[in-house]
Amino acid sequence: IYRAVRPGWVSAAEVLADMLAGIEARLGAVGRIRVEIAPAELPEAQAHVLALAASELVTNAVRHGLAGPDATVRVVFAVDGD
């Protein structure tokens, strides 16, 4: 599904951006999710776990946190250390 950075590894940014775009479209929140994603490579298994956790958190934030027409959800993925 994702372009392999190296065998068995994927771009976390690509995985998260794709997942977030799907949530925006599915929940009618296009343009209401602000994203800051640091470049990082993850093993495929870890990328799947990250996408699942982020999907749950962002879906709940969009469903329950977008109170007004100008409200947004901010998603930040940062890398700390090696």
Side-chain angles (χ1 to χ4, degrees):
I1 294 176
Y2 299 102
R3 180 177 43 89
V5 178
R6 56 185 170 186
W9 291 68
V10 295
S11 163
E14 187 177 331
V15 170
L16 289 173
D18 185 50
M19 182 269 306
L20 293 169
I23 290 173
E24 281 185 322
R26 189 173 60 253
L27 299 180
V30 174
R32 298 184 74 188
I33 299 176
R34 305 287 182 237
V35 181
E36 297 172 35
I37 304 174
E41 298 175 7
L42 295 174
E44 290 175 347
Q46 288 181 356
H48 289 286
V49 172
L50 173 64
L52 178 63
S55 177
E56 284 295 314
L57 291 169
V58 174
T59 296
N60 286 340
V62 169
R63 285 186 176 156
H64 305 293
L66 292 179
D70 296 327
T72 60
V73 170
R74 182 172 174 232
V75 177
V76 177
F77 174 79
V79 177
D80 185 22
D82 295 330

